[in-house]
Structures are given as C-alpha cells and as structure tokens.
Amino acid sequence: MYNQGAVEGAANIESGSRIFVYEVVGLRQNEATDQTNYPIRKSGSVFIRVPYNRMNQEMRRITRLGGKILSIQPSTVLEPVNGPAVVASTNSEVRELVTLVNANTEDNGKATPVNTNSESKGFAKSLAKEKKGNTMTQGKAKHADVPVNTYRPNAPFIGKCISNEPLVKEGGIGIVQHLKFDLAGSNLKYIEGQSIGIIPPGVDKNGKPEKLRLYSIASTRHGDDVDDKTISLCVRQLEYKHPESGETVYGVCSTYLTQLAPGADVKITGPVGKEMLLPDDTDTNVIMLATGTGIAPMRAYLWRMFKDAERAANPEYQFKGFAWLLFGVPTTPNILYKEELEEMQQKYPDNFRLTYAISREQKNAEGGRMYIQDRVAEHADELWQLIKNEKTHTYICGLRGMEGGIDAALSAAAAKDGVTWSDYQKDLKKAHRWHVETY
C-alpha cells in the first residue's frame, strides 16, 4: 500500500492543477526495487494522486515498478470526509492511455530502479485506505458505517501518551513497545482491524514536515481500559544497515514512538482501513497468521472475542466460534503479549488455539529454522479443511516473506482434493474471506 514517489507534493498544488487519482495493483518487490531500502507493501490497491502535467511520467514510473493501472479518477473522489462519494467515469482518452501503458507493462515485464524515499510510504498507504473508505461505486458499500478519516494530516488530533511499556523480555531481540494514547476530547472512533496515522515531529531530509506513518491498532474499539477513551499501538523500532555505507539506520517514526515519554503530545490521524475487519457473525472460524508486530490487529480481535471486560461491554457480540493464532517470532522473549494469549487459551480451550513458530529455537521438518510458513505446512491439511468452510476468515499480518510459503503449503493440501489453490484463493478474496496486510 505504499509508493507515492514523484507525486508527493501534488496535494499542495491542487488549486493550480487538475489532480487525478490512479488506482494501481501489482506493485511488487523485484530485482530493481530490491535496490531500495524498504519493502514495497502488498495489500490490495494503491491510490496515487497525480497532477495532470505529470500523468505520463507517473505512468512510466508505475510501469517500472511492475504495476497495472486499473482506473484513473478525478481527485474529487477523495474530498468527502465521512460520507460516500459518487465516482465519476474516466474519459475515453484516459482509458486509452491506461490500456496502452498496461499493455507495455505486460509486454516488457522488467523494471528499472526508481528513486523513492521511505517517508512517502505512510502517506501513500493512508491515501489508499482513504479512498477505500470514502468511495462508493454502484450498490451499497461494504462496511459503509465504519469510521474513516475523522482526523486528517492537515488537522490531526493531538492526543497524549498515557503509557509506553516494553514487550520484549530480557534476552529478546530488538525493541518493541506497547503504547496507549488518551483520546479524551476527540471524536476518534475506530473498530478492530483498522489503523491510525502518527505524524512524528520535525522535518525530513528535504526540510519538509515529516509525513504520517500508519500503524495497526492493537486495542479494541473500547480501548485497553474498556472505557472508550484510549487507543493502543504495538511498535517495533525499525533498525537496518544502510546498503552502501553499512551505517545503522533507525526509523524516524518508530524511534520517536518507542522512546515517547508518558504525558507527551502525539499527532494522530485516521482511522483508516476496511481490509482487516472481523465478520459480524459470532459463529465463525478465524485463522490468524502473524509475525512480530503483525500481532497488533490479532490482539484486538482476541480481546473482543475472549476478554471478560470486553464481552461484558459487547452483549451483542459473544464469540462462540473457533479462533486459531499461528504466531512467528525469533525467540521466546519476543512472544509479544505472551501472558495475555496464554491466559485466553487456558480459559477458552475449545474456542482458541495458540501455535508458536519460534525461528531461533525450534526446528522445521528439514532441520532448519521454524518459521510461520513451516507451521502452516505442518498443519496444512487441518487448515485447508477449515478454510473450505464458508464461515472461515483468514487474516495475515506481518512480514511479506511468509506469503509464498503459506501459499505453497496450502497448494499442496488443496491439491489432495483436486483443487488449484491459486484459483480457490481468488474466490476467497472475492468472498472477503482472505485478508492480507503484509510489508
């Protein structure tokens, strides 16, 4: 859901230019984009704002990234804040241009390196979810009553940090924090599976204000205190080696958040997102595949399902289905929310199953490290039987690298029934039973 690149300043010049919104799919990590210093996120469509005088340039850039343009719309589709918008038809000249560019993309198949900075990622992801949340095509929009973009980047809510607690135990790897923010005085409402934007202070390397970064919400709609006054995040400090200098680089926003002091102000936008929402049906199966901080939305789901205070606050939602969490971490001290998870499993053994994949401590069938895709392979037949049930929803959140292994394992299980997994998966997505947010 990333990548705005060359058009990051478009929003500032709309009054003087015609602005269009490109809907793009297929942006992927490949030999060329591997040369960038961040992964390209793959989670549905990307929506990119483009001024008229840069349309051709942006189309070529999308082509180089392996993307395919599905539609081009006037920017007016993004104007409403909380209501639906009527999407105008794309004119014939634009449609022909889209067709031509996509044809060239499919013929060439190769990409060349692009100069894209990591700060643009959060804004682009927000834009994508913004359009999903505010646009209706024909018929009634799914989840039309879900709150979206109550607070925008140009007018964020100023919340306060209530607490900032470490989640990695002694001997673990990296820094991961659980942050709780006070929403008192705001109109910010959200539901499980959504994200919020955080705008870090300061300016970027170009001297412009830092852009927002999106984080999956780790609390239920009622907050950790079940009083409708807080919101929580699970944040890992990003740390990596610069590919050229070898210097250790720390993420701007993740470092800001993991070091945030209680009582400090924080700029919050959103909420955004409708891809990762739970079904309303309480008699359903929920498969959750998570790595690292991908546990954030899963924690919100599980609290809603199994926490006593939450169940008391939601008499209309009393989960009686089956939930299975497969959680990948490097070491036992890195099992985030371990006590919470195991307490819920012990209390609801018939409704909640918990499976860890601890890569640096456990071995897979071949004697290598145990990753989440190895656990999926280990339980592939059982998972496949669950997935075939029309009441089953599958949620994947975390590192994108696990997707290939998951698909391979389920392909083998489906083949035993004479089913082609790739085709079946497409049907799951159409039925809104396969939910992915990876990076």
Side-chain angles (χ1 to χ4, degrees), residues 99-376:
T99 302
L100 178 60
V101 170
N102 286 332
N104 289 336
T105 301
E106 294 165 357
D107 289 342
N108 295 332
K110 295 183 178 180
T112 55
V114 294
N115 182 17
T116 306
N117 61 71
S118 59
E119 283 77 13
S120 67
K121 296 187 294 182
F123 181 81
K125 180 181 175 186
S126 175
L127 190 62
K129 293 190 175 183
E130 180 178 337
K131 190 204 184 245
K132 284 184 181 179
N134 291 310
T135 303
M136 287 180 63
T137 54
Q138 295 181 354
K140 184 178 179 180
K142 184 176 176 63
H143 303 306
D145 57 344
V146 174
V148 175
N149 286 315
T150 307
Y151 292 93
R152 292 177 176 257
N154 60 354
F157 169 68
I158 309 301
K160 283 192 179 296
C161 177
I162 297 174
S163 60
N164 189 351
E165 303 293 336
L167 290 174
V168 177
K169 300 295 191 297
E170 184 178 354
I173 299 169
I175 297 173
V176 183
Q177 300 288 117
H178 180 80
L179 295 104
K180 183 165 64 174
F181 302 122
D182 186 0
L183 298 181
S186 80
N187 295 316
L188 184 61
K189 304 297 180 184
Y190 60 93
I191 63 176
E192 302 76 20
Q194 290 193 290
S195 301
I196 56 169
I198 301 294
I199 304 176
V203 296
D204 62 20
K205 61 183 180 182
N206 297 316
K208 297 181 179 180
E210 289 285 358
K211 296 179 177 63
L212 68 84
R213 277 74 159 176
L214 284 177
Y215 294 90
S216 297
I217 299 170
S219 54
T220 71
R221 66 192 69 187
H222 302 300
D224 287 353
D225 299 328
V226 198
D227 61 1
D228 299 310
K229 295 179 181 178
T230 68
I231 191 169
S232 297
L233 299 180
C234 172
V235 180
R236 172 184 177 271
Q237 183 183 33
L238 175 63
E239 178 182 344
Y240 63 95
K241 295 290 185 182
H242 191 280
E244 296 178 359
S245 67
E247 178 186 4
T248 300
V249 180
Y250 296 96
V252 173
C253 195
S254 63
T255 299
Y256 159 68
L257 286 174
T258 54
Q259 298 178 2
L260 194 65
D265 289 345
V266 60
K267 295 179 180 179
I268 300 173
T269 70
V272 294
K274 298 184 180 182
E275 170 62 24
M276 297 287 286
L277 306 186
L278 278 176
D280 294 330
D281 186 5
T282 58
D283 184 19
T284 189
N285 302 312
V286 179
I287 299 171
M288 295 164 280
L289 310 175
T291 60
T293 55
I295 192 65
M298 316 307 183
R299 178 184 186 260
Y301 304 155
L302 292 170
W303 268 53
R304 182 163 172 79
M305 294 172 184
F306 301 122
K307 275 288 185 176
D308 290 343
E310 271 292 325
R311 290 172 70 88
N314 299 289
E316 78 291 350
Y317 185 89
Q318 299 294 301
F319 185 77
K320 50 186 180 290
F322 174 69
W324 188 356
L325 171 64
L326 291 89
F327 187 19
V329 295
T331 70
T332 296
N334 285 92
I335 300 176
L336 311 178
Y337 308 110
K338 183 176 186 291
E339 292 77 12
E340 290 182 11
L341 297 174
E342 294 177 0
E343 179 185 354
M344 287 185 277
Q345 184 191 38
Q346 291 172 5
K347 190 163 186 175
Y348 294 92
D350 297 331
N351 302 94
F352 178 38
R353 182 172 175 178
L354 177 61
T355 304
Y356 296 132
I358 308 176
S359 63
R360 302 195 184 191
E361 298 175 8
Q362 300 172 335
K363 300 296 184 181
N364 60 26
E366 286 74 39
R369 288 186 174 184
M370 174 65 76
Y371 295 108
I372 191 168
Q373 53 266 37
D374 299 309
R375 282 291 185 218
V376 172

Side-chain angles (χ1 to χ4, degrees), residues 1-123:
M1 307 263 305
Y2 292 153
N3 224 315
Q4 187 184 6
V7 296
E8 65 180 76
N12 296 326
I13 58 172
E14 288 190 33
S15 60
S17 303
R18 294 170 60 194
I19 305 296
F20 294 87
V21 178
Y22 288 15
E23 180 180 4
V24 181
V25 295
L27 295 181
R28 62 181 182 271
Q29 204 79 16
N30 54 37
E31 291 181 3
T33 57
D34 277 340
Q35 298 178 32
T36 61
N37 61 2
Y38 64 90
I40 293 176
R41 189 160 185 148
K42 179 184 178 184
S43 181
S45 296
V46 178
F47 297 87
I48 305 175
R49 300 168 74 108
V50 186
Y52 177 78
N53 62 358
R54 302 188 74 168
M55 291 179 73
N56 287 335
Q57 177 183 346
E58 184 62 12
M59 285 179 176
R60 289 193 296 271
R61 191 179 72 86
I62 290 167
T63 299
R64 292 196 300 269
L65 282 172
K68 181 176 181 179
I69 301 172
L70 296 184
S71 67
I72 297 179
Q73 305 287 354
S75 64
T76 52
V77 300
L78 293 181
E79 288 180 357
V81 175
N82 288 315
V86 177
V87 180
S89 300
T90 308
N91 63 52
S92 58
E93 292 84 1
V94 171
R95 284 200 299 271
E96 290 173 5
L97 192 54
V98 171
T99 302
L100 178 60
V101 170
N102 286 332
N104 289 336
T105 301
E106 294 165 357
D107 289 342
N108 295 332
K110 295 183 178 180
T112 55
V114 294
N115 182 17
T116 306
N117 61 71
S118 59
E119 283 77 13
S120 67
K121 296 187 294 182
F123 181 81

